[in-house]
Amino acid sequence: MSIETFTPNTIQFTENASRKVKNLIDEEGNERLKLRVFVTGGGCSGFEYGFTFDEDTAEDDTLIERNGVTLAIDPMSFQYLSGAEIDYEEGLQGSRFIVKNNPHAITTCGCGQSFSIG
């Protein structure tokens, strides 16, 4: 008899994103800040990604630490973000945190900030 364990897909918090979070927290001078990523209804594709800095976490938040900084995700958002990658990029659309390679997103809008699920 074998025992299988289920490990949910984790969210990847990239080196680039964690470094930028650390820089922004250092500039702000508030070590309690965490980057919070969330999903809300709206946007041109049905759901929209959001990012904010937050000092507080809830008991049921998922916390991912990298390089001394923390990414916080609420349970509702986690179900839509599991398996995705949180990154930071600088490009023609400016500098921003982004969600990449979200396995739950069937379609995304041109700017990459909203998505639909199947």
Side-chain angles (χ1 to χ4, degrees):
M1 177 182 216
S2 67
I3 298 174
E4 292 185 42
T5 57
F6 173 73
T7 304
N9 288 333
T10 59
I11 296 171
Q12 299 300 311
F13 186 26
T14 68
E15 175 76 25
N16 200 34
S18 65
R19 189 176 12 203
K20 184 61 177 180
V21 170
K22 177 120 179 72
N23 290 343
L24 292 170
I25 289 172
D26 289 347
E27 285 177 16
E28 200 59 36
N30 183 350
E31 293 297 320
R32 294 186 58 217
L33 290 174
K34 297 152 193 64
L35 178 65
R36 180 172 293 280
V37 60
F38 56 92
V39 173
T40 60
C44 53
S45 295
F47 290 97
E48 192 168 20
Y49 300 119
F51 295 91
T52 189
F53 281 91
D54 198 346
E55 288 184 348
D56 302 316
T57 58
E59 188 174 302
D60 57 353
D61 280 345
T62 297
L63 303 176
I64 301 169
E65 293 186 24
R66 181 163 192 170
N67 298 329
V69 297
T70 303
L71 178 69
I73 307 127
D74 66 88
M76 192 283 298
S77 298
F78 187 87
Q79 67 182 333
Y80 296 113
L81 294 168
S82 64
E85 181 179 312
I86 308 304
D87 198 8
Y88 179 80
E89 69 177 22
E90 296 179 9
L92 295 175
Q93 295 181 350
S95 303
R96 63 189 179 142
F97 291 100
I98 60 168
V99 176
K100 296 167 90 176
N101 305 318
N102 186 346
H104 303 284
I106 302 302
T107 60
T108 58
C109 69
C111 71
Q113 287 301 108
S114 70
F115 67 102
S116 64
I117 60 171

